[in-house]
Amino acid sequence: MSSRTLNLIRCSDPAALGQAAADVVLAALAAAPEPVIGVATGSSPSPLYKALAASGADFSSAAWFALDEYVGLPPGHPESYAEVLRREIVEPLGLDPQRVHLPDPHRVDLKDAARRYERQIAAAGGIDLQILGLGRNGHLAFNEPGAPLDSRTRLETLTEDTRRANQRFFASLDDVPTHCLTQGLGTILEARHLLLIVRGAGKAEALARALTGPVGTDCPASVLQTHGHVTVLADDAAASLLS
Ligand code: GLP
């Protein structure tokens, strides 16, 4: 069997979790001349981005790749992940927007958009550290249950559960997009180090399934068990079902 490292770090409060995650990201930034960092949206990584902004570190050598993007929102929509990342990392960290990449949901040919994104990641040398959140249904990025474990960046249909989970960012459920472009599970697994950030009691069951349940498409995040280098940062509520 290949050697696998899975570090689970429990943090009692968001600031401590954010700092612990920032330490992992800063180490990755220091480890490569042109580091490539994969970034997640959602509430879970917010303390990390705040801690990175407070660190005063120089981020100019890095390239950044988003996990996913909604399809169907107009350009500049405040809840598009391009705008979320602008607010959460580009402005606070002083990043060059040209070095922050997302799959392009406005192309007529979305299959081509997905292929282009894969090529962009490859051209950057692959992702050194991929930051991840966890859906309460076990999704990683927008890879919903049933997604092939070796899937690549592609157009995906969002489940109603995920749309309801993300409804809090929109005026109504009808306003939540039904589709997205997402890195595939196979794409994510090619990152050299995975950093999963999980917060809140609502994620406890998904986290336990991801780390200790069977590996399979029912729980996309269970693929983490097959990766060689994973760091999991969880608050006490999210880690409550782990022994
Ligand atoms: C969204 C994102 C995922 C994220 C997940 C969890 O669906 N596309 O990448 O991991 O939500 O988000 P949160 O941290 O807000 O619970």
Side-chain angles (χ1 to χ4, degrees):
M1 261 184 80
S2 61
S3 74
R4 294 198 174 127
T5 311
L6 192 150
N7 292 318
L8 172 65
I9 304 169
R10 296 168 71 133
C11 290
S12 50
D13 70 89
L17 183 143
Q19 190 54 55
D23 290 344
V24 174
V25 175
L26 292 170
L29 289 167
E34 294 184 0
V36 181
I37 310 292
V39 282
T41 51
S43 314
S44 304
S46 291
L48 158 64
Y49 300 144
K50 288 194 177 82
L52 286 177
S55 73
D58 177 2
F59 301 104
S60 58
S61 62
W64 310 78
F65 283 88
L67 274 175
D68 43 21
E69 175 60 289
Y70 288 119
V71 169
L73 297 177
H77 187 289
E79 294 308 328
S80 68
Y81 287 163
E83 284 298 295
V84 171
L85 289 178
R86 187 179 61 72
R87 291 194 300 272
E88 293 254 316
I89 64 166
V90 174
E91 288 176 356
L93 274 53
L95 306 182
D96 175 356
Q98 303 289 336
R99 295 178 73 82
V100 181
H101 307 282
L102 295 100
D104 182 355
H106 305 297
R107 295 190 80 84
V108 176
D109 183 345
L110 291 173
K111 280 191 180 163
D112 186 51
R115 281 192 297 266
R116 280 170 179 262
Y117 199 57
E118 289 274 341
R119 284 200 299 271
Q120 278 182 295
I121 294 173
I127 293 175
D128 293 307
L129 175 68
Q130 176 64 61
I131 300 159
L132 296 164
L134 178 65
R136 61 188 184 188
N137 64 357
H139 77 220
L140 268 193
F142 271 137
N143 292 280
E144 301 282 30
L149 303 186
D150 60 355
S151 49
R152 311 302 306 186
T153 301
R154 69 198 182 288
L155 179 66
E156 176 71 282
T157 306
L158 299 175
T159 61
E160 174 144 350
D161 187 63
T162 293
R163 293 180 64 238
R164 286 195 185 282
N166 289 357
Q167 187 182 337
R168 66 192 193 278
F169 300 113
F170 294 86
S172 74
L173 184 60
D174 284 347
D175 294 319
V176 183
T178 53
H179 290 83
C180 65
L181 284 167
T182 182
Q183 282 191 35
L185 293 170
T187 317
I188 291 168
L189 287 174
E190 285 174 3
R192 289 177 269 279
H193 183 183
L194 304 179
L195 172 62
L196 178 71
I197 302 175
V198 194
R199 296 166 59 205
K203 301 286 180 67
E205 195 185 325
L207 183 59
R209 288 177 69 204
L211 300 188
T212 63
V215 176
T217 57
D218 286 354
C219 179
S222 64
V223 291
L224 295 172
Q225 296 177 42
T226 71
H227 192 278
H229 190 188
V230 181
T231 302
V232 179
L233 275 163
D235 65 12
D236 291 334
S240 63
L241 297 179
L242 297 171
S243 52

